[in-house]
Amino acid sequence: RWPSASEMRARVQHLRERRRRAASGELACGHCGALSAATFRFCPECGQSRQVAAAAAPVDVAHAVPGVALPLVGRGPVIAELTAHMTRSERPATLLFVGSSSSERATLLRAGFAEMGTGVTVYQATSDPSGLATAFFPIRALVAAVLELPPVCSHDDLLAAVASIGLSARDLPGIAELFAQESPLTHLEPLVRRRELITSALRVLRAAATRGRAVIALENVERFDQPSLEIVRRLAEDAGDVRVVISSSVSAVEPWPPLRRLEIAPLSTADLQ
């Protein structure tokens, strides 16, 4: 990734200029940078000769040295407990996964996914990558994944998808509201629309288990918007047959209701060494 947007913009402009030159048959002078027709033998600005250099000999590129894959030291028990929670069926269905480093939580979650093997569908969602905390961003992504729909879809697609997971047409207005589509709820009071949206979204998320064993992994909920957090809390209280893992920072778990909790402890001295 580019270190900054300005550097990326400069590179894109450079590539665009090169394509324009190639399309117009112009070349830049290697001495002063002035553009002129490729047929000119000398630069019309500085007089520099445009002798075509001999083809350079192919460069012998050294083979890449294989890197060293560092193992996850001292995290075996955490990964084992994560995997056990996601694969078991007894209650409670929700696990609050707590740690100070979001990257470490993400790494351990993915290690747990790899340990589960096949037969389990993981629905993963995180906060709005733009940092704007757009309302319902992670919930909309989850619902679209469960319904197997793109984030932008038609009303007919929504109706067919809702029916495909065994829900009735009464959930369609709430889902349409979530996808910012016109529905019978459009002219109702905001509180009524919000209530129907939340109820329908929860039904869809709980219905993820109708197609087989399912895990909903919610990463970095400390960055979620407040409307999404309301749905996450209600899902945590009653997830149905779906297993739920909520990844959060230590400072953001205080207002949460009592849930089964797995906290990442500091590495021991031996593991650190």
Side-chain angles (χ1 to χ4, degrees), residues 73-75 265-273:
V73 177
R75 296 309 188 200
L267 285 174
S268 67
T269 302
D271 290 331
L272 185 58
Q273 290 173 346

Side-chain angles (χ1 to χ4, degrees), residues 66-72:
V68 179
L70 298 176
L72 287 172

Side-chain angles (χ1 to χ4, degrees), residues 120-262:
V120 182
T121 303
V122 178
Y123 298 96
Q124 201 169 351
T126 187
S127 58
D128 183 355
S130 69
L132 298 177
T134 305
F136 296 114
F137 179 92
I139 302 302
R140 188 182 301 111
L142 275 177
V143 170
V146 173
L147 295 177
E148 298 180 353
L149 288 173
V152 180
C153 56
S154 67
H155 196 271
D156 292 337
D157 292 337
L158 279 180
L159 179 60
V162 167
S164 70
I165 60 173
L167 298 181
S168 65
R170 68 175 182 170
D171 290 307
L172 184 60
I175 301 303
E177 185 76 15
L178 177 65
F179 281 80
Q181 293 188 5
E182 188 173 357
S183 73
L185 303 177
T186 303
H187 303 292
L188 298 180
E189 295 180 2
L191 289 178
V192 177
R193 294 163 56 189
R194 175 69 61 87
R195 183 180 66 241
E196 292 297 320
L197 184 157
I198 291 174
T199 302
S200 298
L202 286 170
R203 285 200 186 101
V204 171
L205 297 180
R206 291 169 185 146
T210 59
R211 294 173 177 163
R213 297 164 62 194
V215 174
I216 292 179
L218 300 156
E219 291 193 80
N220 304 327
V221 295
E222 69 273 13
R223 303 175 191 166
F224 280 19
D225 57 283
Q226 288 302 319
S228 293
L229 279 176
E230 182 180 352
I231 295 180
V232 171
R233 287 192 177 96
R234 292 183 58 175
L235 180 67
E237 294 170 359
D238 181 13
D241 295 325
V242 179
R243 310 300 293 178
V244 178
V245 178
I246 300 173
S247 169
S248 174
S249 64
V250 178
S251 59
V253 296
E254 297 303 328
W256 282 82
L259 295 171
R260 183 165 174 262
R261 180 167 166 170
L262 174 60

